[in-house]
Amino acid sequence: MKRMKATIAYDGTNFAGYQSQPNMRTVQSEIDKALVKLHKDDSVYSVASGRTDSGVHALGQVIHFDTPLDLADRWKMALNVLLPKDVRVVHVEEVADDFHARYGATGKTYVYRWSYSEVQSPFERNFAVHLGRWNPNVERMQEGAQHLIGTHDFTSFCSAKTATTNKVRTIRKLSLERQGDHLVLEVEGDGFLYNMVRTIAGVLLAVGIGWDEPEDVRKIRDAKDRKMAGKTAPAHGLYLMEVTY
Amino acid sequence: MKRMKATIAYDGTNFAGYQSQPNMRTVQSEIDKALVKLHKDDSVYSVASGRTDSGVHALGQVIHFDTPLDLADRWKMALNVLLPKDVRVVHVEEVADDFHARYGATGKTYVYRWSYSEVQSPFERNFAVHLGRWNPNVERMQEGAQHLIGTHDFTSFCSAKTATTNKVRTIRKLSLERQGDHLVLEVEGDGFLYNMVRTIAGVLLAVGIGWDEPEDVRKIRDAKDRKMAGKTAPAHGLYLMEVTY
């Protein structure tokens, strides 16, 4: 058996999230169906770096799976032929037997995108959150973001449903930048709690449009109470960009 | 009554084309539904510059409609609130009573997009035609395109089902250019026959990949026979960019 690592991109729009669920179209179930077909109906299951919610996109999700097959450089093509066009395998390589897509991950990078255009382009409706009449002050958002960089307890920034007990995470980088018609938040950390990036996006937007002060981000963080953080930003602005090992 | 001109953008992916058809989701039926709602169930119908096929996109489709309402600068917002997010009104203005979106059009510009990337981005699957293993020679395509610029009988370049008798049209500009990861064909003319841009795209791609010679484009044109032109290029690479009056 060989252990393979694959990098996956998907448009999350028409999926009920990443993780397999009975009677739902999920990214994982499409990948596992393709793997099973390629292995002539032998059970082959993939393990991902983590799940993503319905509507969330990925350019660099990482999975691993074990296989008796040796397809050399034809893995990518073989899987893409079997996958629907909204999931693509962008890279495949053989890795050591102890490589683990989830437990071996040392960092993840996410991007959150808003669009400024007065009327949202119909081509963007699933790929960026329309700011509409809001014109957030990016400097204020950057100022607020400083309170999140570093090692903190992120209880206020994750879903109340989060099962994980340890809510301490390290954010290594958190930037906000206007890129053409978009406002782009990029965040890199050792790991993220459930809904953490979308909650951060919601809190920083509230600062940008003047509902909260940059200093409030520190107060929300220190409260360790999800109710302090306001609304989670919509799923369709979020992209899993990279997982590092 | 006032006559209004509106510029419309749409993602053609989830539409059975532009024109209303019983029991089908079309762009026109969504626009007319929004107009009827806005007019409190009075019949108001729009007239477009022309139809587009299922899967074809638009950034600058033009329609007109007559209305007793005076919404001043709120037309765009009022319609966009009622429309689904894959159709957007990008501009509305009052025009003279004799303005006609279809009969008054003096020119149209279309774009056709192919993507070069080795693995097609899942975000592009409905918005550009993947070239895959083809790497067309753009100079050859440009050379072939010269035989289409000017006033010609385009019988070979329209669907055999075209009802129009006069198949003479003038192409004012036809360019091919690599733009980053895309090959972009832009064509501007006084009017286009049914499937004409997609047939031109198919013929020029065949020249680009060496199946035909640039000189063959002239032969296909002069044959005035649709069977000479090979396969029509897929709908989802095509965009109606602008209609001039």
Side-chain angles (χ1 to χ4, degrees):
Chain A
M1 294 288 268
K2 294 169 195 301
R3 179 154 289 194
M4 308 301 294
K5 172 190 178 192
T7 307
I8 312 288
Y10 47 87
D11 169 356
T13 308
N14 300 323
F15 289 108
Y18 184 83
Q19 189 170 261
S20 289
Q21 296 177 60
N23 306 316
M24 299 292 250
R25 184 173 189 263
T26 70
V27 181
Q28 185 182 6
S29 60
E30 293 295 335
I31 291 172
D32 286 352
K33 256 195 282 178
L35 283 171
V36 168
K37 245 185 229 169
L38 198 59
H39 291 80
K40 317 260 175 230
D41 296 331
D42 270 356
S43 297
V44 178
Y45 296 106
S46 60
V47 174
S49 73
R51 65 185 80 173
T52 54
D53 279 345
S54 180
V56 174
H57 312 293
L59 274 80
Q61 172 69 289
V62 173
I63 64 168
H64 79 252
F65 57 90
D66 293 324
T67 178
L69 297 182
D70 183 3
L71 299 188
D73 58 359
R74 302 188 312 278
W75 271 107
K76 191 162 62 172
M77 206 193 61
L79 284 167
N80 282 332
V81 165
L82 296 169
L83 283 165
K85 286 189 172 177
D86 47 357
V87 186
R88 295 286 92 181
V89 176
V90 293
H91 186 74
V92 182
E93 62 185 305
E94 193 180 339
V95 284
D97 287 354
D98 63 350
F99 174 87
H100 195 285
R102 183 168 172 203
Y103 301 122
T106 55
K108 282 186 184 176
T109 302
Y110 282 93
V111 152
Y112 197 90
R113 295 172 83 229
W114 290 274
S115 69
Y116 279 101
S117 53
E118 185 211 346
V119 174
Q120 186 170 43
S121 159
F123 305 102
E124 286 257 298
R125 71 191 187 286
N126 301 317
F127 304 124
V129 174
H130 190 216
L131 288 168
R133 64 201 166 105
W134 303 115
N135 185 15
N137 180 320
V138 181
E139 286 76 38
R140 280 173 62 96
M141 295 173 80
Q142 287 164 335
E143 212 185 313
Q146 300 315 307
H147 301 296
L148 301 176
I149 296 171
T151 303
H152 303 286
D153 183 318
F154 284 96
T155 300
S156 296
F157 296 88
C158 67
S159 166
K161 291 177 282 178
T162 310
T164 325
T165 330
N166 178 7
K167 285 162 181 160
V168 175
R169 295 291 183 277
T170 300
I171 290 184
R172 294 177 200 134
K173 189 194 148 189
L174 175 43
S175 66
L176 289 129
E177 193 187 14
R178 181 158 183 165
Q179 293 177 4
D181 233 18
H182 293 97
L183 172 58
V184 180
L185 179 162
E186 188 175 333
V187 58
E188 189 193 315
D190 62 347
F192 292 88
L193 299 159
Y194 185 49
N195 271 354
M196 182 167 152
V197 182
R198 289 167 56 192
T199 311
I200 289 173
V203 165
L204 294 180
L205 185 65
V207 170
I209 62 180
W211 289 357
D212 286 315
E213 294 304 313
E215 179 62 19
D216 291 334
V217 179
R218 194 186 49 72
K219 292 182 196 159
I220 294 167
R221 182 195 79 195
D222 290 346
K224 296 177 195 167
D225 177 0
R226 173 64 186 83
K227 287 192 286 295
M228 294 288 285
K231 269 175 75 174
T232 305
H236 66 280
L238 185 62
Y239 295 74
L240 173 56
M241 301 300 285
E242 200 187 353
V243 186
T244 52
Y245 292 91
Chain B
M1 294 288 268
K2 295 169 193 303
R3 179 154 290 192
M4 308 302 294
K5 173 190 176 191
T7 307
I8 311 289
Y10 47 87
D11 169 356
T13 308
N14 299 323
F15 289 108
Y18 184 85
Q19 187 169 263
S20 289
Q21 297 176 58
N23 306 314
M24 299 293 250
R25 184 173 189 263
T26 70
V27 181
Q28 186 182 6
S29 60
E30 294 294 336
I31 291 172
D32 287 350
K33 257 194 281 179
L35 284 170
V36 167
K37 248 186 227 168
L38 198 59
H39 291 79
K40 317 261 177 230
D41 294 333
D42 271 356
S43 295
V44 179
Y45 295 107
S46 61
V47 174
S49 72
R51 65 185 80 173
T52 54
D53 279 346
S54 179
V56 174
H57 313 294
L59 274 81
Q61 171 69 288
V62 174
I63 64 167
H64 79 253
F65 58 90
D66 294 324
T67 178
L69 299 181
D70 183 2
L71 299 188
D73 58 357
R74 302 188 312 277
W75 272 107
K76 193 162 63 173
M77 208 193 59
L79 285 167
N80 281 332
V81 165
L82 296 168
L83 283 165
K85 286 190 173 177
D86 49 356
V87 186
R88 294 285 91 182
V89 176
V90 293
H91 186 74
V92 182
E93 62 184 304
E94 193 181 336
V95 284
D97 288 354
D98 64 348
F99 174 87
H100 194 285
R102 184 169 171 202
Y103 301 124
T106 56
K108 282 187 182 175
T109 303
Y110 282 93
V111 152
Y112 198 92
R113 295 171 83 229
W114 290 273
S115 70
Y116 279 101
S117 54
E118 185 211 345
V119 173
Q120 186 171 42
S121 160
F123 305 101
E124 286 256 298
R125 71 190 186 287
N126 300 318
F127 304 124
V129 174
H130 190 217
L131 287 168
R133 64 200 166 104
W134 302 116
N135 185 16
N137 180 319
V138 180
E139 285 76 39
R140 280 173 61 96
M141 294 173 80
Q142 286 163 336
E143 211 185 311
Q146 300 314 307
H147 301 296
L148 301 176
I149 296 171
T151 302
H152 302 288
D153 183 318
F154 283 98
T155 301
S156 295
F157 295 89
C158 68
S159 167
K161 290 178 280 181
T162 309
T164 325
T165 330
N166 178 7
K167 285 161 181 160
V168 175
R169 295 290 182 277
T170 300
I171 291 183
R172 294 178 199 134
K173 190 193 147 190
L174 175 44
S175 66
L176 289 129
E177 194 185 13
R178 182 159 182 165
Q179 294 177 4
D181 233 17
H182 293 99
L183 173 57
V184 179
L185 180 161
E186 188 176 333
V187 59
E188 188 194 318
D190 62 348
F192 291 89
L193 298 159
Y194 184 50
N195 271 353
M196 182 168 152
V197 182
R198 289 166 58 193
T199 311
I200 289 173
V203 164
L204 294 180
L205 185 65
V207 170
I209 63 180
W211 288 359
D212 286 315
E213 295 303 314
E215 178 63 18
D216 292 334
V217 179
R218 193 185 52 71
K219 292 181 197 160
I220 294 166
R221 182 195 79 195
D222 290 345
K224 297 175 196 171
D225 177 1
R226 173 64 187 83
K227 287 191 287 293
M228 293 289 285
K231 269 175 77 172
T232 306
H236 66 281
L238 186 61
Y239 295 73
L240 173 56
M241 300 302 285
E242 199 189 352
V243 186
T244 53
Y245 292 91

